[in-house]
Short mmCIF file of all heavy atoms in Angstrom, two decimals:
data_model
loop_
_atom_site.label_atom_id
_atom_site.label_comp_id
_atom_site.label_asym_id
_atom_site.label_seq_id
_atom_site.Cartn_x
_atom_site.Cartn_y
_atom_site.Cartn_z
N PRO A 1224 115.80 109.37 77.53
CA PRO A 1224 114.84 108.40 76.94
C PRO A 1224 115.57 107.02 76.80
O PRO A 1224 116.72 106.92 76.52
CB PRO A 1224 114.57 108.96 75.52
CG PRO A 1224 114.91 110.37 75.65
CD PRO A 1224 116.09 110.50 76.65
N SER A 1225 114.76 106.00 77.11
CA SER A 1225 115.33 104.60 77.03
C SER A 1225 114.24 103.62 76.70
O SER A 1225 113.06 103.92 76.81
CB SER A 1225 116.02 104.21 78.38
OG SER A 1225 115.23 103.65 79.20
N SER A 1226 114.67 102.38 76.28
CA SER A 1226 113.75 101.33 76.07
C SER A 1226 113.37 100.55 77.35
O SER A 1226 112.68 99.52 77.28
CB SER A 1226 114.36 100.34 75.02
OG SER A 1226 115.58 99.87 75.50
N GLN A 1227 113.84 101.06 78.47
CA GLN A 1227 113.51 100.56 79.78
C GLN A 1227 113.94 99.10 79.98
O GLN A 1227 113.16 98.30 80.48
CB GLN A 1227 111.97 100.74 80.07
CG GLN A 1227 111.56 102.18 79.90
CD GLN A 1227 110.14 102.41 80.35
OE1 GLN A 1227 109.73 103.45 80.82
NE2 GLN A 1227 109.25 101.43 80.11
N THR A 1228 115.16 98.78 79.58
CA THR A 1228 115.74 97.49 79.87
C THR A 1228 116.90 97.73 80.81
O THR A 1228 117.37 98.79 81.03
CB THR A 1228 116.24 96.81 78.57
OG1 THR A 1228 117.26 97.61 77.96
CG2 THR A 1228 115.08 96.59 77.60
N GLU A 1229 117.38 96.58 81.43
CA GLU A 1229 118.49 96.67 82.36
C GLU A 1229 119.76 97.16 81.67
O GLU A 1229 120.53 97.96 82.22
CB GLU A 1229 118.72 95.27 83.04
CG GLU A 1229 119.75 95.30 84.15
CD GLU A 1229 119.79 94.02 84.89
OE1 GLU A 1229 118.76 93.26 84.78
OE2 GLU A 1229 120.81 93.71 85.53
N GLU A 1230 119.95 96.70 80.44
CA GLU A 1230 121.17 97.13 79.66
C GLU A 1230 121.12 98.64 79.40
O GLU A 1230 122.16 99.31 79.49
CB GLU A 1230 121.25 96.32 78.35
CG GLU A 1230 121.67 94.89 78.55
CD GLU A 1230 120.54 94.05 79.16
OE1 GLU A 1230 119.37 94.52 79.07
OE2 GLU A 1230 120.88 93.03 79.79
N GLU A 1231 119.97 99.14 79.00
CA GLU A 1231 119.81 100.52 78.77
C GLU A 1231 120.04 101.38 80.04
O GLU A 1231 120.72 102.43 80.00
CB GLU A 1231 118.38 100.87 78.27
CG GLU A 1231 118.26 100.58 76.78
CD GLU A 1231 118.91 101.71 75.90
OE1 GLU A 1231 118.39 102.76 75.84
OE2 GLU A 1231 120.02 101.49 75.37
N GLY A 1232 119.57 100.89 81.17
CA GLY A 1232 119.80 101.60 82.43
C GLY A 1232 121.26 101.70 82.76
O GLY A 1232 121.76 102.75 83.23
N ALA A 1233 121.98 100.60 82.56
CA ALA A 1233 123.46 100.59 82.85
C ALA A 1233 124.19 101.56 81.89
O ALA A 1233 125.11 102.27 82.28
CB ALA A 1233 123.97 99.19 82.72
N ARG A 1234 123.81 101.55 80.63
CA ARG A 1234 124.43 102.37 79.65
C ARG A 1234 124.27 103.89 79.95
O ARG A 1234 125.20 104.68 79.97
CB ARG A 1234 123.95 102.04 78.26
CG ARG A 1234 124.58 102.87 77.13
CD ARG A 1234 123.90 102.70 75.80
NE ARG A 1234 122.53 103.14 75.82
CZ ARG A 1234 122.14 104.46 75.75
NH1 ARG A 1234 123.08 105.41 75.59
NH2 ARG A 1234 120.87 104.73 75.83
N ILE A 1235 123.03 104.20 80.28
CA ILE A 1235 122.75 105.63 80.58
C ILE A 1235 123.42 106.03 81.89
O ILE A 1235 123.97 107.22 81.98
CB ILE A 1235 121.19 105.90 80.66
CG1 ILE A 1235 120.58 105.66 79.32
CG2 ILE A 1235 120.87 107.25 81.21
CD1 ILE A 1235 119.08 105.64 79.30
N MET A 1236 123.42 105.17 82.86
CA MET A 1236 124.19 105.58 84.12
C MET A 1236 125.65 105.75 83.88
O MET A 1236 126.25 106.58 84.47
CB MET A 1236 123.92 104.42 85.15
CG MET A 1236 124.33 104.86 86.61
SD MET A 1236 123.33 106.17 87.20
CE MET A 1236 124.68 107.31 87.74
N ASN A 1237 126.24 104.95 82.99
CA ASN A 1237 127.68 105.11 82.69
C ASN A 1237 127.84 106.52 82.11
O ASN A 1237 128.91 107.18 82.35
CB ASN A 1237 128.11 104.06 81.70
CG ASN A 1237 128.25 102.72 82.36
OD1 ASN A 1237 128.46 102.60 83.58
ND2 ASN A 1237 128.12 101.69 81.54
N ASP A 1238 126.94 107.01 81.25
CA ASP A 1238 127.06 108.37 80.64
C ASP A 1238 126.85 109.42 81.74
O ASP A 1238 127.54 110.45 81.73
CB ASP A 1238 126.01 108.51 79.58
CG ASP A 1238 126.27 107.63 78.36
OD1 ASP A 1238 127.41 107.18 78.20
OD2 ASP A 1238 125.30 107.36 77.58
N ILE A 1239 125.95 109.16 82.72
CA ILE A 1239 125.71 110.20 83.73
C ILE A 1239 126.97 110.31 84.61
O ILE A 1239 127.29 111.37 85.11
CB ILE A 1239 124.52 109.75 84.62
CG1 ILE A 1239 123.18 109.90 83.78
CG2 ILE A 1239 124.37 110.60 85.87
CD1 ILE A 1239 121.98 109.41 84.45
N LEU A 1240 127.65 109.18 84.86
CA LEU A 1240 128.89 109.23 85.69
C LEU A 1240 129.98 110.05 85.11
O LEU A 1240 130.86 110.50 85.81
CB LEU A 1240 129.36 107.78 85.93
CG LEU A 1240 128.51 106.95 86.92
CD1 LEU A 1240 129.00 105.47 86.88
CD2 LEU A 1240 128.62 107.49 88.33
N LYS A 1241 129.94 110.32 83.81
CA LYS A 1241 130.95 111.04 83.09
C LYS A 1241 130.63 112.58 83.15
O LYS A 1241 131.50 113.38 82.76
CB LYS A 1241 131.07 110.63 81.62
CG LYS A 1241 131.53 109.10 81.50
CD LYS A 1241 131.51 108.73 80.01
CE LYS A 1241 131.85 107.26 79.88
NZ LYS A 1241 131.71 106.78 78.46
N GLU A 1242 129.46 112.96 83.57
CA GLU A 1242 129.02 114.40 83.62
C GLU A 1242 129.81 115.04 84.72
O GLU A 1242 130.06 114.48 85.79
CB GLU A 1242 127.50 114.50 83.81
CG GLU A 1242 126.67 113.90 82.65
CD GLU A 1242 125.20 114.00 82.94
OE1 GLU A 1242 124.81 114.61 84.02
OE2 GLU A 1242 124.40 113.51 82.08
N GLU A 1243 130.06 116.36 84.48
CA GLU A 1243 130.74 117.16 85.54
C GLU A 1243 129.85 117.51 86.65
O GLU A 1243 130.23 117.58 87.81
CB GLU A 1243 131.27 118.44 84.90
CG GLU A 1243 132.42 118.22 83.89
CD GLU A 1243 132.97 119.54 83.36
OE1 GLU A 1243 132.49 120.62 83.86
OE2 GLU A 1243 133.90 119.52 82.48
N ASP A 1244 128.56 117.76 86.35
CA ASP A 1244 127.61 118.13 87.39
C ASP A 1244 126.38 117.17 87.31
O ASP A 1244 125.33 117.54 86.84
CB ASP A 1244 127.13 119.60 87.25
CG ASP A 1244 126.22 120.07 88.37
OD1 ASP A 1244 126.38 119.45 89.43
OD2 ASP A 1244 125.45 121.01 88.18
N PRO A 1245 126.52 115.91 87.75
CA PRO A 1245 125.48 114.93 87.62
C PRO A 1245 124.29 115.18 88.58
O PRO A 1245 124.46 115.92 89.55
CB PRO A 1245 126.14 113.58 87.95
CG PRO A 1245 127.24 114.01 88.92
CD PRO A 1245 127.72 115.37 88.45
N PRO A 1246 123.15 114.61 88.27
CA PRO A 1246 121.98 114.73 89.25
C PRO A 1246 122.24 114.07 90.56
O PRO A 1246 122.95 113.07 90.65
CB PRO A 1246 120.83 114.14 88.43
CG PRO A 1246 121.51 113.11 87.53
CD PRO A 1246 122.84 113.80 87.10
N THR A 1247 121.58 114.56 91.56
CA THR A 1247 121.73 113.98 92.94
C THR A 1247 120.74 112.84 93.13
O THR A 1247 120.94 112.10 94.09
CB THR A 1247 121.53 115.04 93.96
OG1 THR A 1247 120.16 115.65 93.87
CG2 THR A 1247 122.53 116.19 93.85
N ALA A 1248 119.75 112.77 92.30
CA ALA A 1248 118.74 111.60 92.43
C ALA A 1248 118.31 111.22 91.05
O ALA A 1248 118.32 111.99 90.09
CB ALA A 1248 117.61 112.07 93.19
N ILE A 1249 117.90 109.97 90.92
CA ILE A 1249 117.49 109.39 89.66
C ILE A 1249 116.22 108.65 89.85
O ILE A 1249 116.04 107.84 90.66
CB ILE A 1249 118.60 108.41 89.13
CG1 ILE A 1249 119.91 109.07 88.86
CG2 ILE A 1249 118.12 107.72 87.80
CD1 ILE A 1249 121.07 108.16 88.56
N PHE A 1250 115.21 109.02 89.06
CA PHE A 1250 113.95 108.36 88.94
C PHE A 1250 113.82 107.47 87.72
O PHE A 1250 113.89 108.01 86.57
CB PHE A 1250 112.77 109.39 89.05
CG PHE A 1250 111.44 108.84 88.65
CD1 PHE A 1250 110.92 107.68 89.27
CD2 PHE A 1250 110.61 109.40 87.73
CE1 PHE A 1250 109.67 107.16 88.96
CE2 PHE A 1250 109.38 108.90 87.40
CZ PHE A 1250 108.93 107.75 87.97
N CYS A 1251 113.70 106.16 87.93
CA CYS A 1251 113.63 105.28 86.81
C CYS A 1251 112.13 104.84 86.64
O CYS A 1251 111.44 104.61 87.60
CB CYS A 1251 114.43 103.99 87.08
SG CYS A 1251 116.21 104.30 87.26
N ALA A 1252 111.74 104.77 85.38
CA ALA A 1252 110.32 104.51 85.08
C ALA A 1252 109.91 103.10 85.42
O ALA A 1252 108.71 102.78 85.58
CB ALA A 1252 110.01 104.77 83.62
N ASN A 1253 110.84 102.20 85.51
CA ASN A 1253 110.54 100.82 85.97
C ASN A 1253 111.74 100.23 86.73
O ASN A 1253 112.83 100.73 86.66
CB ASN A 1253 110.17 99.91 84.78
CG ASN A 1253 111.26 99.67 83.81
OD1 ASN A 1253 112.34 100.30 83.88
ND2 ASN A 1253 111.10 98.69 82.93
N ASP A 1254 111.53 99.13 87.44
CA ASP A 1254 112.54 98.48 88.20
C ASP A 1254 113.68 97.90 87.35
O ASP A 1254 114.86 97.87 87.73
CB ASP A 1254 111.95 97.34 89.05
CG ASP A 1254 111.23 97.90 90.26
OD1 ASP A 1254 111.21 99.11 90.45
OD2 ASP A 1254 110.71 97.04 91.03
N CYS A 1255 113.30 97.40 86.14
CA CYS A 1255 114.26 96.86 85.23
C CYS A 1255 115.39 97.83 84.93
O CYS A 1255 116.62 97.50 84.93
CB CYS A 1255 113.59 96.35 84.02
SG CYS A 1255 114.46 95.02 83.14
N THR A 1256 115.04 99.04 84.63
CA THR A 1256 116.02 100.05 84.35
C THR A 1256 116.85 100.40 85.56
O THR A 1256 118.07 100.58 85.49
CB THR A 1256 115.29 101.36 83.89
OG1 THR A 1256 114.46 101.09 82.72
CG2 THR A 1256 116.32 102.48 83.51
N ALA A 1257 116.19 100.45 86.70
CA ALA A 1257 116.88 100.74 87.97
C ALA A 1257 117.92 99.62 88.34
O ALA A 1257 119.02 99.97 88.83
CB ALA A 1257 115.89 100.85 89.10
N LEU A 1258 117.70 98.43 87.98
CA LEU A 1258 118.68 97.33 88.20
C LEU A 1258 119.97 97.63 87.41
O LEU A 1258 121.10 97.43 87.93
CB LEU A 1258 118.10 95.98 87.81
CG LEU A 1258 116.88 95.46 88.64
CD1 LEU A 1258 116.36 94.13 88.04
CD2 LEU A 1258 117.30 95.31 90.08
N GLY A 1259 119.81 98.09 86.20
CA GLY A 1259 120.93 98.43 85.41
C GLY A 1259 121.66 99.65 85.95
O GLY A 1259 122.97 99.65 85.93
N VAL A 1260 120.93 100.61 86.46
CA VAL A 1260 121.54 101.82 87.11
C VAL A 1260 122.34 101.42 88.32
O VAL A 1260 123.54 101.80 88.49
CB VAL A 1260 120.45 102.85 87.52
CG1 VAL A 1260 121.05 103.90 88.41
CG2 VAL A 1260 119.79 103.44 86.30
N LEU A 1261 121.83 100.58 89.18
CA LEU A 1261 122.56 100.12 90.34
C LEU A 1261 123.82 99.25 90.01
O LEU A 1261 124.86 99.35 90.62
CB LEU A 1261 121.65 99.32 91.28
CG LEU A 1261 120.55 100.13 91.93
CD1 LEU A 1261 119.61 99.19 92.76
CD2 LEU A 1261 121.04 101.24 92.82
N ARG A 1262 123.66 98.46 88.95
CA ARG A 1262 124.77 97.66 88.50
C ARG A 1262 125.95 98.55 88.01
O ARG A 1262 127.08 98.25 88.36
CB ARG A 1262 124.36 96.71 87.36
CG ARG A 1262 125.40 95.68 86.94
CD ARG A 1262 124.84 94.84 85.85
NE ARG A 1262 124.73 95.53 84.54
CZ ARG A 1262 124.13 95.10 83.48
NH1 ARG A 1262 123.56 93.92 83.50
NH2 ARG A 1262 124.05 95.86 82.38
N SER A 1263 125.61 99.62 87.27
CA SER A 1263 126.63 100.47 86.87
C SER A 1263 127.30 101.22 88.01
O SER A 1263 128.49 101.46 88.03
CB SER A 1263 126.02 101.51 85.89
OG SER A 1263 127.01 102.44 85.44
N LEU A 1264 126.47 101.66 88.97
CA LEU A 1264 127.00 102.36 90.16
C LEU A 1264 127.93 101.53 91.03
O LEU A 1264 128.99 101.96 91.49
CB LEU A 1264 125.83 102.90 91.06
CG LEU A 1264 125.05 104.09 90.54
CD1 LEU A 1264 123.91 104.32 91.42
CD2 LEU A 1264 125.92 105.36 90.50
N ASN A 1265 127.63 100.20 91.07
CA ASN A 1265 128.48 99.24 91.79
C ASN A 1265 129.81 99.02 91.14
O ASN A 1265 130.86 98.79 91.73
CB ASN A 1265 127.72 98.00 92.09
CG ASN A 1265 126.65 98.10 93.14
OD1 ASN A 1265 126.71 98.89 94.03
ND2 ASN A 1265 125.56 97.40 92.96
N LYS A 1266 129.78 99.03 89.78
CA LYS A 1266 131.01 98.77 89.00
C LYS A 1266 131.84 99.95 88.97
O LYS A 1266 133.14 99.89 89.06
CB LYS A 1266 130.68 98.27 87.62
CG LYS A 1266 130.14 96.82 87.54
CD LYS A 1266 129.95 96.41 86.11
CE LYS A 1266 129.51 94.90 86.07
NZ LYS A 1266 129.33 94.53 84.66
N CYS A 1267 131.32 101.11 88.72
CA CYS A 1267 132.08 102.32 88.48
C CYS A 1267 131.73 103.35 89.51
O CYS A 1267 130.99 104.32 89.25
CB CYS A 1267 131.80 102.91 87.11
SG CYS A 1267 131.94 101.73 85.78
N ARG A 1268 132.28 103.17 90.69
CA ARG A 1268 131.99 104.15 91.75
C ARG A 1268 132.78 105.42 91.53
O ARG A 1268 133.97 105.43 91.29
CB ARG A 1268 132.37 103.48 93.13
CG ARG A 1268 131.44 102.42 93.55
CD ARG A 1268 131.72 101.94 94.97
NE ARG A 1268 130.79 100.90 95.40
CZ ARG A 1268 129.62 101.13 95.94
NH1 ARG A 1268 129.24 102.45 96.16
NH2 ARG A 1268 128.82 100.18 96.32
N ARG A 1269 132.09 106.53 91.63
CA ARG A 1269 132.65 107.81 91.56
C ARG A 1269 132.82 108.44 92.94
O ARG A 1269 131.97 108.35 93.77
CB ARG A 1269 131.80 108.76 90.63
CG ARG A 1269 132.27 110.19 90.50
CD ARG A 1269 131.47 110.92 89.49
NE ARG A 1269 131.76 112.28 89.39
CZ ARG A 1269 131.30 113.20 88.52
NH1 ARG A 1269 130.44 112.73 87.63
NH2 ARG A 1269 131.61 114.46 88.52
#
């Protein structure tokens, strides 16, 4: 669950990157959240 902002997307993606068995795909309810997800992936590549 999130407030669907770019900051929330980045924060949640950072948490997902710490999981041992993360999901293979991510569905974001809006583009704003997805921008944060991509920002986090670009900064913290696993």
Side-chain angles (χ1 to χ4, degrees):
S1225 90
S1226 58
Q1227 303 186 150
T1228 62
E1229 188 171 339
E1230 288 70 24
E1231 278 285 286
R1234 181 188 63 79
I1235 292 171
M1236 192 64 230
N1237 289 333
D1238 295 338
I1239 293 175
L1240 289 169
K1241 298 175 184 177
E1242 297 177 4
E1243 293 184 2
D1244 188 22
T1247 61
I1249 298 170
F1250 167 51
C1251 299
N1253 67 348
D1254 283 0
C1255 203
T1256 304
L1258 294 177
V1260 169
L1261 294 178
R1262 188 179 71 189
S1263 176
L1264 286 171
N1265 289 327
K1266 284 185 178 180
C1267 310
R1268 291 188 178 272
R1269 180 171 170 175

